[in-house]
Amino acid sequence: MNWLAARLLAVVTVLAAVAVLAAPQPLAVAGALLLGFALPGLALTEVLFRRQTMTAVERTVLAPALSLGVLVISGLVGNAAGMPLDRAWWAVSAAAVTLAALIVWTAVVRPVRLRRRPAAGTAEAETVQIPVVREAPSPQEAQRRADQQAELARRRLAEKQLALAQQRVRQAQAREQRRRVVREFLPLLLVLAVLGGAGWVSLRSAHESYHVTVTTLSAAPPGAPNGDGNRTLRLTADGLLAADGPYTLVVTGADGARVDRRTVPAGDGSWTGSLVVPADQRLTVTLYRSGDTTAYRTLFVAAS
Amino acid sequence: MDKDKTPDAARAADTPVRPATPHGPGPRERMSSIQQIESPDDATHPRRPGSARPRVRTGVQVRAPWPPRRDPEATAVIRPGDPEATAVIRPGDPEATAVIRPGDPEATAVIRPGDPEATAVIRPGDPEATAVIRPGDPEATAVIRPGDPEATAVIATPARDADAVPAASRAPVVPGRPGTGLPSRVAAPQRADGRDAELPGAGASRADAGPSHGQERRRIPRWERRRVPRGGPWDLGHAPFVLLVSSLGVLMVAWAYAGGRDSAAGAPVAYWIGQIVVFTPVVLRLLSRRMAGVAESFLLVMGLAINQYLLKWMYSPDQFRFPDELQHWLATTIVLETGKLFQPNPALPPAVHFPGLAEMGAAIASMTGLPVSVAGIMVAGVAHLVFVGVLFALVLRTSNSPAVAGVTCAIYATALHYLFFSSMFLYQTAALPFFMLAIWANRRWREGNGRVFAAITVLSIGLTTVCHHVTAFALVATLLLVSVAEVATHRPRRWSALIMPTVALAVVSAWILLVARDVIGYLEAPAEQVVETVRMLLTNEVSAGSVSAPVSVGQLVLQGSGLIGLFVLYLAVARDMVTRRDSDDWRWAALAGGAIFFAGNGVRFLGQNGPEIAGRLSTFTYVPISIIAAIALVRAVQILPARDAEGRRWWVQPALYVAPPTGRNLVLRVLAGSALVTILMIGARAGGWPPLGSLLPGPYLAGGFERSVDAYGVDAANWERTTLGPGHRVGGDVTSVSLASTYGRQDPVREVGSLYYADQWTLDDEQKVADLGLDYLVVDRRLSTQLPVSEAYFENDPRAGRITQPLTAAQIGKFDALSGVDRLYDNGTVRIYRMGNA
């Protein structure tokens, strides 16, 4: 990692944290995925393995691995410290770890690397120019110097030509690289498209298969009877379909006598009502669809 | 000589390839830790009794004959092991002296091979540097890998055609190994004309960097070409096209799943074809010996992992349905709601003290604002991919071969629980990447790469422990196995290898004893069941619990064929290692792990829980057997070795180098290897999870776990949470209890089977309700219309494996007639009764 990459990483970290804490959900998702799976690991890899020889594969897998580790450890630390493990904690802790690693990199790793570089410019700067008085060169010496300069010029020219040739080679290689990227990434784009299609097929199929309307009749556990020997029964009917409505709710006693009967409109698909019923007998609550002669849903409420 | 070639390149191109001989050190590619090189002279020239090994310091083993013979074919093989070691070798020619001090940055290596003018001076500086020298004598080749304890140094002096294989062809793919493209700090030997001699290592570096670095074309033997990245380190080769084909398989499986939901007739056929299309092209490519390099192999492996993860996700893309995922959905939701760890989780109490996965899920869910199920899919996917990636990195580092690493991961993908259980949103999935990271970091620490890797190992041990108990135990065992192998294979003994398993044992023990004591009881039951089954087998007793679930003959044949194939490969590699007197500790550890894998397969026959325990065990033991099988397939280890001159076949030291197969032989081997791995995959899908009857998603199946989760059960569970409130004791069939304890937040009661099986309600049943403290009972009417696909309707089902007809309508409906029981919920399919205790 170079200085520019470190600064870029720091900026992205701050932006990701801000996105998680304050931005709309699409940006928050992007920021959260970066903070959760990538940024802390990237920074830690640079700091921890600065002196190690690592393969690209190892660096690639270490970033998400260490990021997951940061989530686990920050959760344990936050819990031990009594902090609520909420959005702010996760975002701030992941960002803080990333920035702390970058600070360590900036304060410790980078200076060490700079010190290790051959300090050509530094040596030149420290060179003290001492004025000297030169005698006029002899003709032989002048000829020798002229030859040297000519040789030097030839060498420089050759070096320039070599550099130019190398540059052309590099440009050709870059063109080839770009062509290869197209050759290799076009199939990968198709792969993404096919996988996206497969995902869509699955989601649609699952939605059509499992997301069915469930019509239910339920009652909250009845409470204790009041002084009149009655109790309140709170009933709920969900998943009511307009095509099946209006529904009819019938409450009968143990002897088959009707206690209550009312029409339940399908409405928005849900109905809730409270009935005052005698507590001393077992009741049967039945829901009928429009036109039904047999019970569609049935509840039993035991005598208290 | 071709003017376009460097002297060495031209020499390499002009030199004929030496054919493999049983006694000659031919060109060799087996230079890494999983590759095998021994002196061929060990077998033919045994050391004299009492003669000392030519060790100047400990840790260096020189297998060349000593004192040196005047054998022009003499080869010295050195494993520097100890970075501090110094080896002095005089292989063949008494005037040729090589002094190597690897590891020490200040070390100097001097080689004076006969000719006083030909002197190479090496200052490796970087312990990981690589020096490849051809000093003076163009036919003398020295290859030195200092610093790397597992590296092998080979000096072939003077071998007439020793450099027939150019250094570029030995190009390794892992930094720190030869020809990595790293700047060499080795001073080039001077030629007689004063120019720097060509350093093959440098050439290898350029070769690794690809043709963009102006590398001259060298003639590379055909069998070595696959080791040379053709288009540079980022050449993806044919991986994109192979993955495109593989992704079409994913699409086919998606259609099969959709057909399964609609009960389409051709869905199973489409499923199996899709599975093969997803998997086999990748395996074929990995085995083809023509890969471009690490990038292609890694892309193939990760692409396969992604595609297979999608197969799991597409099974239930809209919500969690697998019981274990539901339990961890609850654990994550609790963290999200309370903001605290270690809160009670009635669905899976032991998971409370292993909160790693819940932390990850809660972090992503709270930061993104997405539902826990979506965040969980992301977390499980990333963890699964990291696990596969670290496995690839580990094997790549130990083998220095992208093909071996790739094939290992592909074979591992045929583990019983790889496709579903190891990639579900459950705590083992979270622990597996840290498990593998610990092994990888320990490996690098043992290589002498610095204390930071020791620290990463300890950190990974801690994270594994916080995530999952069984994975933590497996980590201790794995580290112990690797360490024991290192201690056993190295002289002097490296007792420091035992540090990490000791640390792991301490960390895991401390967590279990101080934090997660309840896990002891949780794991005690299945362990006791296995022990009891073993005891009953030994005493010829029979009970319901000691009988394994029946397996179809077809499934048995399929899985048996795969296992036999694996066993043949295992035996071939084992024979090869024994006859070569292999001293690589990691390879021996893999071999021992492979033996544990085969032993573990026997557990599946130990009682009802046997298959599940064997499957869980294989998650860990399948790693070493995958490595061993990959070595056998990629390195073309001879299953049926050729006879030697004396007619012996089996226990003869194999030739140092045997040319890998080419042409038709290669095609046959690749096809056979791919067929074997494909059979393993099919066997794993048929015998893994979901069960064969539930391979496709579809309508409700009684006792079908994920196939039993539908809108009716979920609605009932949601009603329990919203209307009843949490914490009531709720009983029911397997699925009802699972949903009640997760979506419903109730306290599950699992021992209620006998209440359902009773034809009439008796006082005993009343008493049982009271004893269990049962508040509510969930009754799914479909139990009276279907037999359970899992051989049991209930957890702890008293009639498990003996159910021949569904529950009767009378058994299901008897609760309606109980005067003291309320039916408070009815959705036409699922009914909930209040049992009077609430």
Side-chain angles (χ1 to χ4, degrees):
Chain A
M1 186 164 62
N2 56 34
W3 179 231
L4 181 64
R7 280 189 291 186
L8 190 63
L9 192 56
V11 170
V12 171
T13 303
V14 172
L15 288 178
V18 170
V20 167
L21 294 174
Q25 195 181 32
L27 287 177
V29 169
L33 296 182
L34 283 172
L35 281 178
F37 296 135
L39 297 176
L42 276 174
L44 286 172
T45 302
E46 292 300 329
V47 172
L48 292 173
F49 303 108
R50 60 188 183 276
R51 293 177 187 167
Q52 311 301 331
T53 310
M54 306 282 282
T55 64
V57 169
E58 288 169 333
R59 288 189 181 278
T60 303
V61 298
L62 271 172
L66 292 178
S67 298
L68 291 177
V70 165
L71 291 182
V72 175
I73 293 173
S74 62
L76 290 171
V77 169
N79 190 69
M83 301 293 293
L85 303 181
D86 53 11
R87 172 183 288 212
W89 171 259
W90 295 116
V92 169
S93 60
V97 169
T98 310
L99 294 175
L102 290 174
I103 290 169
V104 170
W105 185 88
T106 307
V108 179
V109 181
R110 187 164 172 265
V112 170
R113 285 188 184 174
L114 289 177
R115 278 200 298 274
R116 285 181 179 175
R117 279 186 193 168
T122 310
E124 194 173 328
E126 290 173 353
T127 302
V128 178
Q129 300 293 326
I130 303 172
V132 293
V133 179
R134 298 177 183 276
E135 293 179 0
S138 65
Q140 293 82 358
E141 180 65 17
Q143 181 61 38
R144 192 181 63 79
R145 289 185 181 179
D147 291 345
Q148 278 183 345
Q149 286 178 350
E151 176 65 21
L152 194 62
R154 275 196 300 276
R155 283 188 184 175
R156 284 176 180 164
L157 185 61
E159 284 173 0
K160 278 185 181 175
Q161 288 174 338
L162 182 64
L164 199 61
Q166 287 174 338
Q167 189 181 357
R168 285 176 184 154
V169 169
R170 280 197 294 272
Q171 287 171 346
Q173 288 164 352
R175 280 197 298 274
E176 172 59 24
Q177 192 84 9
R178 283 195 292 271
R179 284 195 203 102
R180 209 179 71 219
V181 163
V182 172
R183 274 201 314 270
E184 292 178 343
F185 280 81
L186 189 61
L188 289 179
L189 286 177
L190 286 173
V191 167
L192 287 180
V194 171
L195 295 182
W200 180 80
V201 166
S202 286
L203 271 173
R204 195 190 63 169
S205 160
H207 186 81
E208 289 175 353
S209 301
Y210 298 124
H211 290 243
V212 297
T213 302
V214 179
T215 304
T216 65
L217 177 63
S218 62
N226 58 21
D228 301 334
N230 294 326
R231 55 182 173 177
T232 303
L233 192 61
R234 186 174 176 77
L235 296 169
T236 301
D238 278 321
L240 302 176
L241 300 172
D244 293 339
Y247 295 82
T248 304
L249 186 77
V250 178
V251 181
T252 54
D255 54 358
R258 183 181 297 170
V259 176
D260 197 348
R261 185 180 191 280
R262 62 180 64 192
T263 299
V264 175
D268 57 354
S270 183
W271 171 86
T272 300
S274 295
L275 305 179
V276 177
V277 294
D280 60 350
Q281 57 177 315
R282 188 168 194 260
L283 301 174
T284 301
V285 184
T286 310
L287 184 71
Y288 293 90
R289 289 181 295 191
S290 174
D292 276 353
T293 54
T294 57
Y296 185 50
R297 301 285 183 260
T298 306
L299 303 180
F300 299 107
V301 181
S304 60
Chain B
M1 182 183 296
D2 191 337
K3 285 180 182 177
D4 294 332
K5 296 177 179 177
T6 62
D8 276 1
R11 200 165 48 243
D14 295 338
T15 309
V17 175
R18 186 171 64 173
T21 61
H23 302 292
R28 36 184 100 199
E29 63 173 346
R30 295 177 171 80
M31 307 289 282
S32 65
S33 69
I34 68 152
Q35 299 160 344
Q36 302 141 20
I37 295 176
E38 294 293 338
S39 169
D41 299 309
D42 279 359
T44 53
H45 303 279
R47 226 172 340 123
R48 288 200 311 270
S51 63
R53 283 184 177 272
R55 265 182 282 170
V56 176
R57 284 193 197 175
T58 57
V60 176
Q61 298 175 17
V62 179
R63 299 221 173 188
W66 198 268
R69 302 180 306 278
R70 288 186 176 278
D71 180 0
E73 297 287 327
T75 301
V77 181
I78 311 162
R79 291 188 177 79
D82 184 353
E84 299 294 324
T86 300
V88 181
I89 313 154
R90 297 182 184 82
D93 186 349
E95 293 186 13
T97 302
V99 181
I100 306 164
R101 294 188 184 87
D104 183 355
E106 299 297 324
T108 299
V110 181
I111 300 179
R112 295 187 186 84
D115 182 357
E117 290 188 11
T119 301
V121 181
I122 311 162
R123 293 184 180 83
D126 184 351
E128 297 204 358
T130 298
V132 181
I133 313 152
R134 293 190 181 86
D137 184 353
E139 299 195 1
T141 301
V143 182
I144 305 165
R145 291 188 183 88
D148 184 351
E150 301 215 359
T152 300
V154 178
I155 299 179
T157 312
R160 287 285 162 197
D161 49 1
D163 58 350
V165 180
S169 70
R170 301 187 198 102
V173 290
V174 178
R177 295 192 180 278
T180 57
L182 295 176
S184 174
R185 302 185 188 181
V186 180
Q190 295 289 307
R191 290 189 173 281
D193 59 4
R195 291 185 292 116
D196 283 353
E198 171 73 7
L199 286 179
S205 300
R206 288 198 296 271
D208 280 353
S212 61
H213 291 254
Q215 174 206 10
E216 294 83 1
R217 291 181 63 83
R218 300 178 175 196
R219 197 189 72 170
I220 301 169
R222 193 165 48 182
W223 61 79
E224 294 288 358
R225 284 177 193 160
R226 65 191 174 80
R227 295 178 65 82
V228 186
R230 285 191 301 270
W234 300 106
D235 187 358
L236 301 180
H238 293 300
F241 291 99
V242 175
L243 290 178
L244 182 57
V245 175
S246 177
S247 66
L248 293 175
V250 176
L251 188 59
M252 205 172 288
V253 174
W255 278 326
Y257 283 166
R261 293 186 186 103
D262 296 336
S263 302
V269 177
Y271 171 83
W272 285 112
I273 293 175
Q275 284 279 3
I276 292 171
V277 173
V278 168
F279 186 72
T280 307
V282 176
V283 177
L284 269 169
R285 180 63 188 159
L286 287 169
L287 286 173
S288 67
R289 306 175 70 85
R290 293 181 190 280
M291 274 199 305
V294 176
E296 182 180 6
S297 182
F298 186 62
L299 182 61
L300 284 171
V301 165
M302 298 313 289
L304 178 63
I306 290 171
N307 285 353
Q308 293 194 308
Y309 183 71
L310 285 175
L311 299 185
K312 182 260 161 192
W313 170 72
M314 290 189 312
Y315 191 97
S316 176
D318 55 338
Q319 67 172 89
F320 288 140
R321 285 189 173 79
F322 293 91
D324 299 82
E325 288 189 313
L326 290 172
Q327 292 167 345
H328 291 91
W329 170 88
L330 178 61
T332 306
T333 304
I334 290 172
V335 174
L336 211 56
E337 289 174 351
T338 63
K340 295 177 183 174
L341 304 180
F342 307 114
Q343 300 303 302
N345 176 0
L348 188 62
V352 170
H353 298 116
F354 299 92
L357 178 77
E359 290 179 70
M360 295 177 199
I364 298 300
S366 62
M367 283 196 289
T368 58
L370 295 171
V372 170
S373 55
V374 177
I377 287 168
M378 291 179 185
V379 166
V382 170
H384 181 65
L385 294 180
V386 170
F387 167 63
V388 175
V390 181
L391 174 62
F392 182 93
L394 173 69
V395 181
L396 181 65
R397 184 153 287 278
T398 55
S399 69
N400 192 30
S401 163
V404 172
V407 174
T408 297
C409 293
I411 295 175
Y412 186 79
T414 67
L416 269 182
H417 285 322
Y418 174 87
L419 191 61
F420 276 79
F421 203 79
S422 297
S423 57
M424 286 180 190
F425 183 64
L426 46 82
Y427 49 0
Q428 179 174 286
T429 305
L432 283 175
F434 300 125
F435 168 87
M436 201 48 73
L437 196 64
I439 308 292
W440 168 83
N442 182 54
R443 157 82 188 189
R444 295 218 57 178
W445 176 56
R446 298 307 300 164
E447 281 179 338
N449 287 311
R451 291 177 186 168
V452 66
F453 289 102
I456 292 294
T457 310
V458 174
L459 184 72
S460 301
I461 290 169
L463 288 168
T464 308
T465 307
V466 171
C467 285
H468 188 226
H469 38 76
V470 172
T471 309
F473 299 147
L475 179 57
V476 175
T478 307
L479 288 173
L480 187 64
L481 178 67
V482 169
S483 304
V484 168
E486 184 177 343
V487 169
T489 54
H490 284 81
R491 300 289 186 282
R493 305 285 188 202
R494 293 181 178 179
W495 298 108
S496 61
L498 295 172
I499 291 175
M500 273 313 156
T502 308
V503 169
L505 183 63
V507 170
V508 175
S509 302
W511 188 262
I512 298 293
L513 295 175
L514 300 177
V515 179
R517 298 190 71 165
D518 56 343
V519 81
I520 297 172
Y522 174 72
L523 296 175
E524 206 173 29
E528 280 180 354
Q529 194 259 326
V530 168
V531 171
E532 177 66 9
T533 306
V534 171
R535 187 192 67 76
M536 295 180 76
L537 284 176
L538 294 176
T539 56
N540 285 331
E541 292 179 46
V542 178
S543 77
S546 66
V547 178
S548 301
V551 181
S552 71
V553 175
Q555 189 178 329
L556 213 55
V557 168
L558 205 60
Q559 289 181 293
S561 305
L563 278 178
I564 290 171
L566 276 184
F567 192 60
V568 168
L569 297 179
Y570 177 83
L571 288 181
V573 172
R575 187 197 65 83
D576 198 72
M577 288 172 62
V578 170
T579 53
R580 286 182 194 277
R581 299 179 195 175
D582 197 305
S583 62
D584 182 87
D585 51 332
W586 279 77
R587 205 155 44 237
W588 279 112
L591 205 67
I596 296 171
F597 163 77
F598 289 112
N601 266 277
V603 177
R604 69 169 61 192
F605 302 106
L606 299 180
Q608 288 177 357
N609 291 337
E612 185 181 349
I613 293 173
R616 301 249 182 138
L617 195 62
S618 74
T619 301
F620 308 103
T621 57
Y622 213 69
V623 174
I625 194 63
S626 300
I627 294 173
I628 293 293
I631 292 172
L633 291 175
V634 175
R635 298 293 174 209
V637 172
Q638 290 188 308
I639 294 170
L640 191 67
R643 294 182 186 279
D644 68 356
E646 299 173 12
R648 296 174 301 177
R649 184 191 295 277
W650 296 109
W651 297 109
V652 182
Q653 186 174 22
L656 190 64
Y657 181 83
V658 177
T662 55
R664 180 184 295 177
N665 194 11
L666 172 63
V667 172
L668 284 175
R669 276 182 172 271
V670 170
L671 290 178
S674 303
L676 171 64
V677 182
T678 302
I679 286 173
L680 285 168
M681 182 274 293
I682 294 172
R685 298 298 163 266
W689 198 265
L692 204 51
S694 310
L695 274 180
L696 298 177
Y700 174 90
L701 286 179
F705 299 102
E706 55 280 352
R707 279 290 299 272
S708 306
V709 176
D710 66 355
Y712 295 96
V714 172
D715 192 87
N718 285 331
W719 177 83
E720 291 164 22
R721 187 186 74 252
T722 54
T723 304
L724 304 179
H728 300 284
R729 288 180 62 77
V730 176
D733 62 288
V734 174
T735 304
S736 299
V737 167
S738 171
L739 291 172
S741 63
T742 51
Y743 290 146
R745 307 291 183 88
Q746 307 300 323
D747 185 8
V749 183
R750 297 184 167 89
E751 302 83 6
V752 294
S754 61
L755 299 181
Y756 289 78
Y757 286 119
D759 292 321
Q760 291 185 331
W761 194 255
T762 64
L763 287 176
D764 288 344
D765 297 323
E766 289 277 3
Q767 186 60 44
K768 178 143 191 171
V769 168
D771 292 344
L772 293 173
L774 192 63
D775 295 329
Y776 293 90
L777 200 65
V778 182
V779 177
D780 192 319
R781 295 175 67 196
R782 292 169 292 191
L783 300 185
S784 64
T785 60
Q786 296 182 15
L787 283 169
V789 291
S790 58
E791 305 281 334
Y793 287 117
F794 310 97
E795 292 190 38
N796 308 318
D797 193 323
R799 298 189 184 178
R802 297 178 290 122
I803 303 172
T804 56
Q805 59 183 12
L807 290 165
T808 64
Q811 288 170 329
I812 289 289
K814 64 178 177 282
F815 305 103
D816 290 340
L818 302 180
S819 60
V821 171
D822 301 318
R823 188 209 280 183
L824 294 182
Y825 175 91
D826 180 17
N827 66 22
T829 301
V830 179
R831 294 164 173 172
I832 298 176
Y833 295 89
R834 186 170 72 154
M835 301 306 292
N837 288 323

